[in-house]
Amino acid sequence: MESDEGSLMEAAMEISCDVVTVPTRHGLEAVDILRRGVGDGVGPVLHDDGGQTLGFLVPPGTAAGWDVPGSTCTETDGRGLRLAPEPPVEGADWLLPPGDADLATDPAVLRAALDEAARLIEAADNCQ
């Protein structure tokens, strides 16, 4: 019975999603904004080992309408991602691992957080 439970848990952790990729500085600001927010949470977030980008998991279909400057949204083409302790992409690791986050970040909430993050970064850069 134990192996059946393990198989069910593995199957439950495979989800279909799209991935919004942003530069690290912009993404970290957005994560802070999302984590401070009330109600709407942030889903799993990947970072590349080179420290250049963050990837937010968002619901499937998001890529079709994504138009936020400075970011890209990639479809997983229905392949789904296995949300396990190991990241689903070689050369990446979890910033916010599955289980510590919602299943996916709401695209509208992410868009607002990215917009706010861009304003904060611009303001900080203009103060120098």
Side-chain angles (χ1 to χ4, degrees):
M1 183 87 169
E2 186 175 85
S3 64
D4 288 341
E5 287 178 4
S7 297
L8 288 174
M9 293 203 40
E10 283 183 17
M13 293 304 285
E14 187 169 311
I15 64 164
S16 291
C17 63
D18 290 349
V19 180
V20 172
T21 306
V22 298
T24 299
R25 183 177 180 202
H26 196 167
L28 290 173
E29 287 290 344
V31 167
D32 285 345
I33 292 163
L34 289 166
R35 294 195 72 166
R36 286 192 313 256
V38 177
D40 296 305
V42 59
V45 179
L46 289 162
H47 69 84
D48 67 346
D49 287 341
Q52 301 299 311
T53 60
L54 293 184
F56 292 83
L57 274 56
V58 293
T62 300
W66 191 258
D67 61 352
V68 176
S71 68
T72 59
C73 189
T74 307
E75 295 178 30
T76 60
D77 296 324
R79 293 182 301 248
L81 293 175
R82 184 165 299 281
L83 297 184
E86 302 79 31
V89 180
E90 189 173 325
D93 205 352
W94 293 111
L95 177 67
L96 291 177
D100 289 353
D102 293 347
L103 269 181
T105 301
D106 180 293
V109 173
L110 178 58
R111 179 183 311 270
L114 290 171
D115 288 346
E116 183 177 343
R119 289 190 301 275
L120 289 171
I121 290 169
E122 182 179 4
D125 288 349
N126 287 335
C127 286
Q128 296 178 1

